[in-house]
Amino acid sequence: FCAEKSERGLGRLVDRRLPPSEAAAVKDEARKVLAHALELMRLGNADLAEAELRKASRLDPDSGRASCVTGLAYAKVANKPEKAGEHFTAAVEREPRNAAALNDLAVLEVLTRRHGASARQFRHAVESAADPMPVAENIAWAVKLSGAAQVDPAQAKYRMPERTIDDLNVLYRMVT
């Protein structure tokens, strides 16, 4: 059934099938709502921004953009890493090759000390990225953070296992 709909040029949005022109209009509306949410966040109106992000996500459920931005808001503004992780994971589930969401999820995994998961997410981000340099910068940051953890007791919680550091160094050299 889905293949048949796809062959006829109908796109999936929400639980309905739309002709490509209508699907494009809905995606455009979702982008506008997302831009409005970003402006609301910039202005400090987190509650309205969150409502707009949910609306953008409902409008275009195949896109991970709204989930990714929501994850960033929870990670950077609200300091709620668990909620951020849920949204980054949702973005990756919607768009498995979304390099930005994979990169953000990897950084969050470093900060929450899930080092094996961070290495896997960084690898997926590198493999998915058109330009892997932003990912490489975060890999370098993660290795540097772990290095600082070896000498600074205040950073000790970020110390990574040697194997993870080795994996990240190999990945970094592969990209640069």
Side-chain angles (χ1 to χ4, degrees), residues 30 33-34 37-38 41 49-50 52-60 63-73 87-88 90-91 94-95 98:
V33 170
L34 183 58
L38 289 170
M41 283 190 333
E50 186 176 3
E52 289 291 271
L53 288 166
R54 280 195 305 272
K55 180 179 176 183
S57 190
R58 280 192 310 273
L59 279 169
D60 189 0
S63 172
R65 277 191 197 124
S67 293
C68 194
V69 172
T70 305
L72 286 171
H87 288 279
F88 289 140
R94 288 175 170 188
E95 296 179 19
N98 182 330

Side-chain angles (χ1 to χ4, degrees), residues 75-141:
K76 293 184 175 236
V77 179
N79 194 25
K80 294 183 179 179
E82 304 82 22
K83 295 289 282 180
E86 290 172 19
H87 288 279
F88 289 140
T89 300
V92 170
E93 286 171 355
R94 288 175 170 188
E95 296 179 19
R97 299 196 49 83
N98 182 330
L102 288 161
N103 191 20
D104 291 336
L105 183 56
V107 167
L108 185 69
E109 301 288 22
V110 168
L111 293 173
T112 56
R113 295 170 284 186
R114 292 188 289 262
H115 304 300
S118 71
R120 284 189 302 278
Q121 300 302 346
F122 276 132
R123 179 167 300 282
H124 292 309
V126 164
E127 292 167 352
S128 300
D131 175 14
M133 288 314 295
V135 182
E137 290 170 5
N138 282 336
I139 292 170
W141 163 82

Side-chain angles (χ1 to χ4, degrees), residues 11-38:
R12 180 178 97 68
L13 283 173
V14 188
D15 289 329
R16 61 188 188 269
R17 298 281 173 182
L18 299 174
S21 61
E22 288 180 44
V26 171
K27 285 184 179 292
D28 188 50
E29 177 64 20
R31 278 191 288 275
K32 289 176 183 174
V33 170
L34 183 58
H36 184 240
L38 289 170

